[in-house]
Amino acid sequence: MRGIIKVKKQELATMAIAVLLFHLSIVKINEAYFRNYPRMQLGIVIVLTAYLLLHLRCLFLKKNILFNIVVLMFGMGMFITIYRNMRVFPNSFRSGMLTIFQYMMVLLVMECLHESGNIVAVVKTFYYCALFYCVLADFHAVLTGAKYIGVIGTYLVGNKFSIAYLHIYTLCFFYFLWQRKGRSYLLLIAHYAVAVLICIYSQCTTGLLGCAILLIAHVVRPLGAKLIKKVPVAYGLLLLATFVLLIFSEIVKWKPIRFVIEEVLNEDITLTGRMGGFVNIHRPLLLDPIWGVSPLNNYIISRRYVGMDDLQNGMADMMLSYGLVGVSLLLILIALCMRKGNVKQGYGFYAMMYMFIALAAVEVTLNLKFVVVLSLVAFAWDKKEENRLIR
């Protein structure tokens, strides 16, 4: 009996940490509705820091040291970038530090949760948290007309991209659990259908493309599982996504692609002004190519030099914020996370990682939400569960 109680207490503690991590790095309540949400996140940082201090043994395991050094270097690089640019563009130091902790905590805490052996409980907690906010945000959107407030919507969980990607997260969390419980395809189809409908409702074209990529990944899983676990494949797609529209801009005028853009996605041939902005994309990147201008200044620099809210290209936007230092460390993190992962158990998360890489051609996706997926790729698997997979 004591053993059962102990296990339950451990699982409850794991779920509590998962809830906190979810609210720090996965979901953000729109400050238009919850002004003090960033302050609450700072409180979460304190609790999770205490959790890490209690699990230092895990962080210093031989197999984790290299990974943690890279994570620390990534955090230090972000700090240097933010600190250097505060003199040029005064910004909130507190906001900058919160950004750093959001990136680092999700990687380090997930590592410790993985070592605890309760990772299925963690993903299950993420799923129910995401499902709760999806239902809440959807009802809020319908009742308040959130999609009509502002240029890209003012939803409970952010803009149209935030609500679309939250539904995609929910789909992938469910997919992870679906592999184990033998649930019917109807439930999986229902989750997928809801994600697609929300993308249509919020007019999030990149979300729709993301859903299409995930569907293709599921259909070709036997072959896909062999390919997507290879780091060179991820790097190759990232290279293609980064430069395809910057160098081969005429590709959008090719009849098949033009048909998809104009008739299927109902977008204009300029990709909502992106193609015009790409002409001057090199100008902001040359301001500080080594360290970047920091994420806190990304918006003002993008508006000034390309006339857009961001650079609309994942890797270019990453370089603008964190420079070559940040880009190099992100590439190392991608390789380390993929090598730590288990494609059989985490296939859905690998697919989601590739989805974000592909969407980086037209959207800023190599940010916090991408790092969250990297943490899931690396740590959302359990050796004890290997023989329990139904699919």
Side-chain angles (χ1 to χ4, degrees):
M1 181 64 72
R2 287 182 180 178
I4 295 173
I5 293 172
K6 186 177 180 181
V7 170
K8 286 184 177 180
K9 283 183 178 179
Q10 288 177 345
E11 191 166 323
L12 285 173
T14 296
M15 291 168 66
I17 293 299
V19 169
L20 293 176
L21 188 60
F22 181 88
H23 286 87
L24 177 66
S25 298
I26 298 178
V27 74
K28 181 181 179 181
I29 306 299
N30 197 319
E31 289 182 49
Y33 305 110
F34 188 179
R35 190 174 181 181
N36 291 322
Y37 193 77
R39 291 185 180 181
M40 187 189 82
Q41 289 180 307
L42 288 171
I44 292 174
V45 166
I46 294 172
V47 176
L48 293 182
T49 301
Y51 172 81
L52 290 176
L53 290 173
L54 292 171
H55 292 79
L56 283 177
R57 181 190 63 81
C58 165
L59 299 177
F60 283 100
L61 289 175
K62 187 176 180 180
K63 63 179 180 178
N64 295 333
I65 288 178
L66 175 61
F67 179 81
N68 294 336
I69 288 174
V70 174
V71 172
L72 183 62
M73 290 174 64
F74 189 66
M76 287 299 296
M78 292 176 69
F79 176 80
I80 292 170
T81 296
I82 290 170
Y83 183 76
R84 277 165 50 92
N85 286 280
M86 282 185 68
R87 305 173 194 173
V88 184
F89 301 97
N91 266 302
S92 169
F93 182 72
R94 184 177 67 182
S95 177
M97 291 304 296
L98 177 59
T99 301
I100 295 170
F101 280 118
Q102 285 177 310
Y103 277 78
M104 293 182 65
M105 284 292 182
V106 71
L107 292 165
L108 298 178
V109 173
M110 280 295 292
E111 180 180 68
C112 293
L113 291 171
H114 171 76
E115 293 295 335
S116 73
N118 288 320
I119 202 66
V120 175
V122 171
V123 178
K124 190 179 294 184
T125 303
F126 285 166
Y127 168 70
Y128 284 116
C129 286
L131 185 64
F132 171 77
Y133 279 107
C134 282
V135 172
L136 203 62
D138 293 350
F139 273 108
H140 173 270
V142 172
L143 293 174
T144 65
K147 69 178 288 186
Y148 304 108
I149 304 174
V151 179
I152 52 177
T154 307
Y155 296 90
L156 184 66
V157 292
N159 56 35
K160 68 178 184 179
F161 301 104
S162 302
I163 194 169
Y165 291 137
L166 182 61
H167 279 78
I168 291 174
Y169 269 122
T170 307
L171 171 63
C172 290
F173 291 145
F174 179 79
Y175 189 84
F176 176 88
L177 301 172
W178 175 78
Q179 296 178 106
R180 288 161 171 75
K181 295 295 183 181
R183 293 187 175 97
S184 70
Y185 266 96
L186 288 177
L187 280 173
L188 183 63
I189 293 170
H191 279 73
Y192 184 83
V194 171
V196 170
L197 288 173
I198 288 299
C199 291
I200 294 172
Y201 172 78
S202 61
Q203 297 178 321
C204 183
T205 305
T206 50
L208 275 175
L209 289 173
C211 289
I213 292 169
L214 292 179
L215 178 61
I216 293 170
H218 175 69
V219 171
V220 302
R221 178 166 180 165
L223 174 64
K226 297 177 182 179
L227 289 176
I228 65 176
K229 66 180 181 180
K230 297 180 180 180
V231 175
V233 174
Y235 282 173
L237 181 60
L238 187 56
L239 188 68
L240 179 65
T242 299
F243 292 106
V244 64
L245 293 181
L246 300 184
I247 297 177
F248 306 105
S249 57
E250 294 297 310
I251 197 172
V252 296
K253 297 179 182 178
W254 187 36
K255 283 187 178 181
I257 294 180
R258 184 166 187 157
F259 175 80
V260 171
I261 293 172
E262 294 183 332
E263 303 301 327
V264 178
L265 300 177
N266 198 29
E267 296 280 353
D268 62 87
I269 200 66
T270 69
L271 299 177
T272 324
R274 287 177 174 86
M275 300 309 295
F278 287 161
V279 174
N280 296 314
I281 202 170
H282 63 284
R283 294 177 62 201
L285 297 180
L286 294 176
L287 291 176
D288 193 340
I290 304 300
W291 291 104
V293 301
S294 98
L296 304 180
N297 305 316
N298 188 302
Y299 174 81
I300 189 172
I301 295 295
S302 297
R303 292 301 307 174
R304 181 180 297 176
Y305 286 92
V306 298
M308 300 186 292
D309 291 348
D310 52 58
L311 297 189
Q312 301 292 317
N313 177 289
M315 188 56 75
D317 201 81
M318 181 73 186
M319 184 172 172
L320 176 63
S321 293
Y322 304 111
L324 287 171
V325 173
V327 168
S328 300
L329 290 169
L330 178 67
L331 291 174
I332 295 172
L333 273 176
I334 291 172
L336 292 176
C337 287
M338 290 181 70
R339 286 172 180 167
K340 277 181 170 287
N342 181 309
V343 73
K344 184 179 179 182
Q345 294 188 44
Y347 182 80
F349 298 132
Y350 273 84
M352 194 176 183
M353 179 191 73
Y354 276 89
M355 178 199 81
F356 278 135
I357 290 175
L359 293 180
V362 292
E363 193 53 72
V364 179
T365 53
L366 303 181
N367 46 23
L368 178 59
K369 54 182 172 280
F370 180 69
V371 173
V372 169
V373 174
L374 287 182
S375 74
L376 293 165
V377 165
F379 302 116
W381 61 275
D382 187 341
K383 189 174 288 187
K384 299 192 299 291
E385 296 284 323
E386 191 71 18
N387 297 322
R388 299 180 187 177
L389 294 184
I390 296 173
R391 300 177 176 87

